Amino acid sequence: MRPLPPWLTPLPDAASMREIDSWAIERQGVPGLELMERAGEGVARVLERIVPDGPVAVLCGKGNNGGDGLVVARLLREHGRTVRVVCATPPGELRGDARANLERLPGEPPVQLDGAPWTAAAEADPEAAGAGALAGALALAGATALVDALLGTGFSGEPHGALGAAIEALEAAAAPVVSVDVPSGVDASTGAVRGGAVHATATVTFHAAKPGLWIRPGKAHAGEVHVLDIGIPRGAPLVAEVGLIEPAVIARLPTRDAASTKFASGHVLVVGGSRGLSGAPRMAAEASMRAGAGYVTACVPASLQDLLAGAATPELMTRGLAEADGALDPGALDELLEAAGRGGAIVLGPGLGRTDGAFALARSLAARADVAMVLDADGLNAHAGRLEELAARGAPTVLTPHAGELGRLLALDSAAVERERLAHVRDAAARSQAVVVLKGDDTLVSLPDGTVAVSRGASPALATAGTGDVLGGVIAALLAQGLDAFTAAAAGVALHAQAGREAARALGAREGVIASDVISALPAARRAMLFDAGQRTEGEDG
């Protein structure tokens, strides 16, 4: 496995976290009870900030996650809070450090979800005891805050029985929920949710965030994520295939100096446009210019050339090519290959249209152009069911689908893609041997080997028509300037998201942002990211 680049914060999966815990306890001599104590302390602090007063219900499973919950309960009781401890499974099944913390618990012993005590008879027949839990979660009544310590990072699949009922009860409750390490029901390694899952107000996770807290649908369940240092020593064997994109990626972007020319800054060809869809190639082209490309040529149907030239910024060059039925057709191929022979990068697909001729041209150009390429929109749709054909390309390739487009590439519906975003973006990257950018609030950038960069998102202003064309243009500009495909895609995603935030800030509302605002905000976004990364460009003083 290749190490992650320094601009990615590692997000270890469940297996990696098990290795880290084992290393700390067995090789570094850190007692597991100490790690559990610090974890519980951190959760208790976050809960008290969110809900300073009132009764608390702590729901515990039978693993170490439940042990963390028992620490929370003890500490809150010691600070004078009224706390009811609810064990979804028999307390007698607790082992190791979790058992030790059950024995340390002062005050009332744990109860079942329906408020009934865990008697010897109930522990002997937990399925019968759990049936009462389905009738009503009386143990949660009156609580002003809830702690979800049911299932930890090792869980995958669908919760059943009493654990499933406890998750349902947390979902039905009105009080804020603080989840321990990961919301119960969320796969910490992938973000998949295959059954019931807790929607937390906040999640307190330990040592490092997990992929499932940043990848949807798990991200939508996590609430505010707090990463807590629980005392694992430096040098832990942190191995991760997934990482969170940091502003430091901006330092990888090329910069202009006194000797720079428009040729050194890279040439981008935007191939697309069709009758009624002239705006998409214009936005992709102008985004490439604002992202630093030295010169950009929009290659469109001949009938659209004058329209595009009149609407676009005057610096944009246009080229009218052979067309049929208002869209480009294979007759344009030789001219495009000749233009691509001068190097740079191609954005293939914005507004291309779905005629047979346009699709045939897109497939031929992708197969024969020996230049870096971004496929978006109908450039992707032209390859529906033919994803593997792209693996034969020798030049860097980036695909930028949303869930619907990725579904068409993989012969799946978009809902299936959304349920398993990480698995499907990796599958597409492996099959196409390309970098695949699965767009969304949690945009995922996958290499064919399964390495994935995850966007922090938080840019709802981008939820407007044309912003996908903008992203394609940005990534193409970075490819044309010489960045490798993975870095160009990840940096483009981060810059695009920041531009959405900058545009919303300038306008005063995210709802009023349109794609052209995002294009205009790209230089300010780059500047903001440089400052976030603790850097300055020469001549900047603000």
Side-chain angles (χ1 to χ4, degrees):
M1 182 188 303
R2 74 172 70 194
L4 294 180
W7 43 265
L8 286 179
T9 293
L11 300 175
D13 62 14
S16 181
M17 281 308 306
R18 280 194 297 271
E19 291 182 13
I20 290 169
D21 289 341
S22 176
W23 174 86
I25 294 168
E26 296 173 11
R27 297 183 58 184
Q28 302 299 306
V30 181
L33 274 172
E34 285 188 13
L35 298 177
M36 191 172 283
E37 187 74 11
R38 293 171 189 149
E41 288 175 358
V43 174
R45 285 196 302 271
V46 170
L47 182 140
E48 297 230 85
R49 285 200 298 270
I50 295 172
V51 184
D53 299 299
V56 178
V58 179
L59 281 75
C60 299
K62 65 180 179 180
N64 281 344
N65 199 252
D68 296 334
L70 290 166
V71 174
V72 176
R74 168 169 51 80
L75 294 175
L76 291 176
R77 283 180 176 177
E78 289 173 352
H79 283 83
R81 296 286 288 264
T82 298
V83 180
R84 173 164 278 187
V85 179
V86 182
C87 280
T89 55
E93 294 182 1
L94 292 168
R95 296 289 183 269
D97 295 336
R99 180 73 188 187
N101 274 302
L102 175 64
E103 293 169 355
R104 291 178 175 183
L105 182 68
E108 295 181 0
V111 298
Q112 300 176 57
L113 188 59
D114 62 1
W118 275 106
T119 62
E123 294 219 21
D125 190 3
E127 288 191 14
L134 298 174
L138 300 180
L140 307 190
T144 59
L146 303 167
V147 176
D148 160 31
L150 294 167
L151 296 168
T153 57
F155 169 80
S156 62
E158 183 177 350
H160 295 286
L163 286 168
I167 290 171
E168 289 179 17
L170 284 168
E171 283 290 271
V177 178
V178 176
S179 286
V180 176
D181 218 6
V182 64
S184 293
V186 171
D187 187 318
S189 298
T190 68
V193 175
R194 300 180 179 88
V198 172
H199 284 85
T201 305
T203 298
V204 184
T205 195
F206 311 128
H207 186 64
K210 317 306 182 292
L213 300 178
W214 284 101
I215 299 174
R216 286 180 178 268
K219 180 179 180 180
H221 288 255
E224 184 178 357
V225 176
H226 302 259
V227 180
L228 180 68
D229 179 0
I230 58 172
I232 291 174
R234 290 179 181 271
L238 179 55
V239 177
E241 295 178 305
V242 181
L244 199 60
I245 303 171
E246 298 295 348
V249 71
I250 205 72
R252 309 296 297 177
L253 270 59
T255 57
R256 297 178 185 175
D257 58 29
S260 295
T261 68
K262 66 181 180 180
F263 304 103
S265 296
H267 180 205
V268 173
L269 295 174
V270 178
V271 180
S274 57
R275 186 184 299 123
L277 294 172
S278 61
R282 177 177 63 81
M283 288 185 287
E286 292 183 351
S288 284
M289 297 168 75
R290 290 297 185 190
Y295 65 117
V296 180
T297 305
C299 301
V300 298
S303 61
L304 294 182
Q305 184 178 9
D306 289 344
L307 175 65
L308 187 64
T313 180
E315 293 84 359
L316 175 64
M317 292 177 285
T318 60
R319 193 165 184 169
L321 302 176
E323 64 177 287
D325 300 321
L328 293 170
D329 79 353
L333 180 62
D334 288 342
E335 199 168 346
L336 286 169
L337 290 173
E338 184 273 330
R342 294 192 288 273
I346 296 174
V347 186
L348 173 58
L352 183 70
R354 301 189 184 186
T355 65
D356 291 344
F359 275 10
L361 171 67
R363 290 192 289 268
S364 296
L365 184 61
R368 295 180 57 185
D370 189 23
V371 66
M373 181 176 288
V374 178
L375 281 86
D376 186 37
D378 288 327
L380 296 167
N381 290 326
H383 290 85
R386 311 170 73 136
L387 186 59
E388 287 80 3
E389 292 178 7
L390 293 168
R393 278 183 47 79
T397 309
V398 179
L399 315 183
T400 58
H402 55 56
E405 291 162 342
L406 186 61
R408 288 189 282 276
L409 290 171
L410 297 174
L412 298 168
D413 62 44
S414 60
V417 171
E418 294 287 31
R419 285 194 294 270
E420 299 272 0
R421 286 174 62 82
L422 182 61
H424 291 309
V425 74
R426 282 174 160 165
D427 182 34
R431 289 167 60 176
S432 65
Q433 288 297 292
V435 171
V436 179
V437 178
L438 177 53
K439 294 182 287 196
D441 176 59
D442 60 334
T443 295
L444 308 180
V445 183
S446 181
L447 277 165
D449 69 2
T451 302
V452 175
V454 184
S455 171
R456 291 178 179 272
S459 193
L462 295 176
T464 187
T467 55
D469 302 308
V470 175
L471 177 62
V474 169
I475 294 172
L478 302 183
L479 287 170
Q481 293 171 79
L483 287 186
D484 67 272
F486 186 61
T487 304
V493 165
L495 185 61
H496 184 243
Q498 183 66 35
R501 290 189 287 271
E502 294 290 329
R505 187 177 300 116
L507 292 171
R510 62 185 63 156
E511 290 76 15
V513 171
I514 59 176
S516 57
D517 298 323
V518 179
I519 295 170
S520 298
L522 284 166
R526 181 167 177 158
R527 178 183 174 91
M529 290 180 67
L530 282 166
F531 273 80
D532 286 345
Q535 300 182 42
R536 276 175 197 262
T537 57
E538 185 177 353
E540 290 181 335
D541 57 4

